[in-house]
Amino acid sequence: MLPKNLKGKMKRGAALLLAGVMVCSFTGCGDKEEKGDTPSLTQGAEPTDDADVTPEATLEPEATPSPEATPTPTEPPKQVRTDFYISAVDEELPSMYEYWEDYFSIGIAITRSELINDLKGDLIIQQFNSMTCGNEMKPDALLDREATKAGGTETCPVLSFKSCDSMLQFCVDNNIKMRGHTLVWHSQTPDWFFMEEYSNKPDAVFASREVMLERMENYIRLVMEYVNTTYPGVVYAWDVVNEAILPGDGGEDNMRMSDSLWYQTVGPDFVEKAFEYARKYADPQQKLFYNDFNTYEPAKRLAILKLVEKLKEQGTIDGIGMQSHIGMSSPTLMDYEDTIRQFGQTGLEIQITELDVNLDSNTEADFMKEGTRYKRLFFTFKNLVDTGAANITNVTIWGLTDENSWLNKDGKRYPLLFNQLLETKPAFWGILMDDGIPLY
Ligand code: GLA
């Protein structure tokens, strides 16, 4: 099975005959390619386009002309894309989510302030079928201290969903599903939430473990109840806990300790508790994820595996989120692929939840290399799904344009698929497996 999007490819003028020949050589001449048949990246095979050519048509024997009568055979020239900078505003682009829809959903992390831009909104509708709020569903966006002080109790805070309502509604209106990001996290959770009487004074003291567990349960319940009753069916996955593992930080079982007020108030079982509560209040079809960065670092990978195996035994987890904020050459694709394989062996779903490639140059040559990096990543994902090595169900790109990337604090980062003019970069075409982007 190959990704769809023939319409887009035809528009880009794929040479049918050549594509037929490529299908033939890739699949073993006429064998319909099934999941499991895809050569692995390490074998050096190239992915092919799934042109709308039946194997029979490509294999039809041609009459052998006599040498005298034969004009020099001419093959139609291969039309390979050379212009990778196409305005998403002026031209209709092929859709990434349609291209990959037999494999996994394609997600975008976006902020509310960007989403109100109609051009960006239209591009998102065209290209993505999954969305993550960049900040608007994090605890610091939902926890309302004033309302909590006025109307909450010591164990039950009051939340406000003003930050994310319009984004959830956008998803409803445009048939986009949402990854709920994120429920329990040491970061972007206000300190006062961990203090007795929600105090924000310098002499505030931590609330007890018992109180914090009740606050945690109530917080998870309130978020899930609100989202699931106001926007039923929109959220399909929750990042229940984010970034709890940090080898070397002193926590039990390699858990993050020094800056985690969850660890410090509740103790090392706060992750298990969060998953227990999340399972209790989640809709049955919603998938519960543990999400983390640098998952391919061996010590961290091992600790995550240990944690998720425990959660799996308890029946509270469905998947592992690999954030995947990566560089141009680090991690190596081998280490990255190996990590997905090891996570895949748990039988849990895998989602690539925050993909970006930290390129710090804007030369055309480097943009092409970035395109190659994205193409190889997606080729790897495809291969892992085809071979059954990992059940990858979503790949989310962490941001729409380079200019708005969280990495771009110095104004010199180019990690994403679109530039500030909403033009495609080679990275976009790499994800579409375009022949103009080299795989190596
Ligand atoms: C982490 C978080 C995300 C986001 C990125 C950086 O990966 O999970 O929510 O904050 O950092 O923007």
Side-chain angles (χ1 to χ4, degrees), residues 297-422:
E297 285 172 1
K300 190 156 183 177
R301 179 173 60 205
L302 205 63
I304 292 172
L305 279 167
K306 196 171 164 197
L307 173 69
V308 300
E309 287 294 358
K310 186 163 62 180
L311 296 169
K312 206 179 123 189
E313 270 168 34
Q314 296 167 355
T316 55
I317 191 170
D318 300 300
I320 306 173
M322 296 174 65
Q323 290 187 7
S324 308
H325 297 291
I326 62 171
M328 285 288 283
S329 53
S330 171
T332 65
L333 260 183
M334 222 152 89
D335 288 344
Y336 187 68
E337 177 176 343
D338 190 40
T339 303
I340 303 178
R341 285 183 188 280
Q342 290 191 36
F343 287 166
Q345 277 166 11
T346 64
L348 295 168
E349 275 184 39
I350 310 296
Q351 297 197 342
I352 311 302
T353 53
E354 306 185 15
L355 179 61
D356 51 23
V357 175
N358 194 355
L359 172 66
D360 60 1
S361 148
N362 63 353
T363 64
E364 290 214 7
D366 284 331
F367 280 160
M368 285 301 284
K369 285 188 195 143
E370 185 185 46
T372 292
R373 183 95 163 136
Y374 271 103
K375 185 173 186 175
R376 288 187 69 182
L377 283 167
F378 274 74
F379 184 56
T380 302
F381 301 148
K382 175 184 179 302
N383 187 40
L384 290 165
V385 173
D386 280 338
T387 55
N391 182 17
I392 301 173
T393 52
N394 169 264
V395 182
T396 289
I397 312 294
W398 198 260
L400 190 65
T401 65
D402 285 342
E403 169 195 35
N404 287 112
S405 164
W406 72 291
L407 292 166
N408 214 350
K409 296 184 184 78
D410 61 2
K412 293 181 187 148
R413 306 287 151 158
Y414 306 90
L416 299 171
L417 315 182
F418 297 91
N419 66 23
Q420 67 197 65
L421 301 174
L422 293 188

Side-chain angles (χ1 to χ4, degrees), residues 210-370:
E210 290 66 36
V211 167
M212 283 316 299
L213 282 175
E214 285 193 57
R215 286 186 192 175
M216 178 195 272
E217 176 164 3
N218 281 323
Y219 178 81
I220 291 173
R221 175 179 62 76
L222 289 171
V223 176
M224 286 186 166
E225 278 176 2
Y226 177 83
V227 169
N228 294 340
T229 52
T230 320
Y231 308 96
V234 169
V235 169
Y236 68 102
W238 292 100
D239 286 332
V240 176
V241 176
N242 200 23
E243 303 177 351
I245 300 289
L246 190 61
D249 198 42
E252 206 171 278
D253 287 331
N254 284 309
M255 289 181 76
R256 175 193 292 272
M257 183 176 77
S258 59
D259 60 354
S260 171
L261 298 191
W262 280 118
Y263 188 98
Q264 292 173 31
T265 54
V266 173
D269 64 343
F270 85 87
V271 177
E272 285 163 74
K273 288 299 198 184
F275 274 89
E276 181 191 318
Y277 302 145
R279 184 61 96 209
K280 186 166 160 191
Y281 298 107
D283 279 351
Q285 72 280 6
Q286 289 176 328
K287 302 295 176 70
L288 304 183
F289 279 77
Y290 175 74
N291 192 47
D292 215 326
F293 63 91
N294 290 7
T295 48
Y296 36 79
E297 285 172 1
K300 190 156 183 177
R301 179 173 60 205
L302 205 63
I304 292 172
L305 279 167
K306 196 171 164 197
L307 173 69
V308 300
E309 287 294 358
K310 186 163 62 180
L311 296 169
K312 206 179 123 189
E313 270 168 34
Q314 296 167 355
T316 55
I317 191 170
D318 300 300
I320 306 173
M322 296 174 65
Q323 290 187 7
S324 308
H325 297 291
I326 62 171
M328 285 288 283
S329 53
S330 171
T332 65
L333 260 183
M334 222 152 89
D335 288 344
Y336 187 68
E337 177 176 343
D338 190 40
T339 303
I340 303 178
R341 285 183 188 280
Q342 290 191 36
F343 287 166
Q345 277 166 11
T346 64
L348 295 168
E349 275 184 39
I350 310 296
Q351 297 197 342
I352 311 302
T353 53
E354 306 185 15
L355 179 61
D356 51 23
V357 175
N358 194 355
L359 172 66
D360 60 1
S361 148
N362 63 353
T363 64
E364 290 214 7
D366 284 331
F367 280 160
M368 285 301 284
K369 285 188 195 143
E370 185 185 46

